[in-house]
Amino acid sequence: MKSILLLIFLGAFATALGETVVPIELQNGNPIVTAVIENQDVRLLVDSGGLSLGLRPEAVARLSLNSSAEKTQSTNVYGEAHNSAMINISSLQIGGTKFSDLEAYEWQMPAQLANWKPALDGTLGRTFLNKFIAVYDYNSSVITLFDKSEQWDNECNGATIPLADHPERIIVTVAEVDDGTVNAIWDTGATHSFIKARVADERQFPLVLDDNQPPIYESERFSFSDNDFGPMEFIALPFTEPEDIDVYIGRNFFEEHVVCINPIQGFIRIES
């Protein structure tokens, strides 16, 4: 009984401090969180490069949620646009913290995720995540969300990198690679780090070619504000969106570093 009361107290204490510790499972290298919506568990891909809280139509039906007549348009990395119905969610619970009155949309799951087992129910994207300072620690299997910067300062050290302004509030920084400067999106939904094939071609970045896999760009240098985190490997794919992005920082970087994203104050910290 004392243990139960202690857990309840600690949960309330963490919530009061504005800190939510979210356990994650790495599935194919990407962070998955088990959330609770309408008293049912759902598996959500934590996608810092994605749009918002999204649920597959099958999950919407299972949870008996009502779609509204309002539509939103989303565009995937290949430039394919989807008009999706909006959904009102009374509450979402993750890491023991409940968040109320959220908007979501019907998420069209990319084909490459369709065969994941266990299946995904949706995605937790930047419209939700950007309300917090998020510490991504894949090796400890947790993401910690803070809503007060003074707590975050005590949790995350390392190199500080300014965020670039972006009209869609995408998490973007300017990086240096061996062959020049690139605009990089921080994308926990990326199964690896990628470079747009068009960018590599137009700027004549040298690619490693192999008949059995996509072309790869290898850079000894991968630096931000004179802090070098190279070497770095990017797979070249025919991505087109967002238009002003050159590379996508994904799984292979997050596996090696604790990454602290602070969209509220406009910078990132990276621990080696």
Side-chain angles (χ1 to χ4, degrees):
M1 184 64 174
K2 289 183 179 179
S3 298
I4 294 173
L5 291 174
L6 178 61
L7 287 172
I8 292 172
F9 170 77
L10 289 175
F13 185 66
T15 302
L17 286 179
E19 174 183 345
T20 300
V21 179
V22 184
I24 59 171
E25 167 196 348
L26 294 178
Q27 185 173 358
N28 297 325
N30 290 117
I32 310 298
V33 59
T34 298
V36 178
I37 297 175
E38 301 298 329
N39 298 314
Q40 297 187 54
D41 287 351
V42 291
R43 290 173 52 80
L44 304 178
L45 168 66
V46 181
D47 185 4
S48 61
L51 175 62
S52 182
L53 172 59
L55 293 172
R56 296 174 60 194
E58 295 88 343
V60 173
R62 176 168 64 85
L63 298 170
S64 301
L65 297 171
N66 295 319
S67 301
S68 72
E70 183 183 356
K71 301 284 185 179
T72 187
Q73 186 177 81
S74 59
T75 305
N76 65 22
V77 292
Y78 295 102
E80 300 165 339
H82 300 279
N83 286 314
S84 302
M86 298 299 295
I87 308 156
N88 292 318
I89 296 177
S90 59
S91 68
L92 164 76
Q93 183 171 319
I94 54 172
T97 300
K98 183 176 287 188
F99 304 92
S100 302
D101 299 323
L102 302 174
E103 273 196 334
Y105 72 103
E106 286 197 358
W107 179 56
Q108 304 299 319
M109 186 166 63
Q112 64 267 32
L113 305 182
N115 294 324
W116 281 19
K117 301 295 182 184
L120 294 174
D121 294 303
T123 179
L124 197 61
R126 67 180 183 273
T127 303
F128 178 85
L129 296 170
N130 284 1
K131 297 175 182 178
F132 307 96
I133 301 159
V135 180
Y136 296 89
D137 187 349
Y138 282 21
N139 287 330
S140 299
S141 299
V142 295
I143 298 170
T144 307
L145 303 177
F146 296 93
D147 58 18
K148 295 181 180 178
S149 60
E150 58 268 22
Q151 296 154 345
W152 174 78
D153 283 339
N154 297 326
E155 291 290 329
C156 197
N157 302 306
T160 299
I161 298 113
L163 292 176
D165 290 334
H166 197 281
E168 298 179 39
R169 297 197 68 208
I170 294 171
I171 304 300
V172 179
T173 55
V174 177
E176 297 288 336
V177 294
D178 291 346
D179 300 278
T181 301
V182 291
N183 291 329
I185 182 173
W186 294 80
D187 189 359
T188 58
T191 55
H192 198 78
S193 293
F194 300 103
I195 184 170
K196 287 180 179 176
R198 174 185 56 79
V199 169
D201 180 57
E202 290 177 354
R203 298 175 62 178
Q204 299 183 336
F205 284 13
L207 298 179
V208 177
L209 303 178
D210 188 320
D211 291 339
N212 298 317
Q213 63 183 11
I216 292 175
Y217 173 60
E218 296 177 340
S219 178
E220 285 299 316
R221 183 184 182 195
F222 190 52
S223 62
F224 308 87
S225 305
D226 298 324
N227 298 284
D228 193 4
F229 295 93
M232 188 67 172
E233 178 185 272
F234 301 89
I235 297 174
L237 289 179
F239 293 165
T240 62
E241 299 295 329
E243 184 178 357
D244 53 357
I245 296 301
D246 303 313
V247 302
Y248 308 74
I249 303 172
R251 179 187 74 183
N252 53 323
F253 191 92
F254 282 90
E255 285 178 335
E256 298 294 328
H257 307 277
V258 176
V259 178
C260 313
I261 299 178
N262 186 340
I264 298 170
Q265 295 175 299
F267 58 88
I268 287 177
R269 283 187 186 152
I270 305 171
E271 293 185 14
S272 299

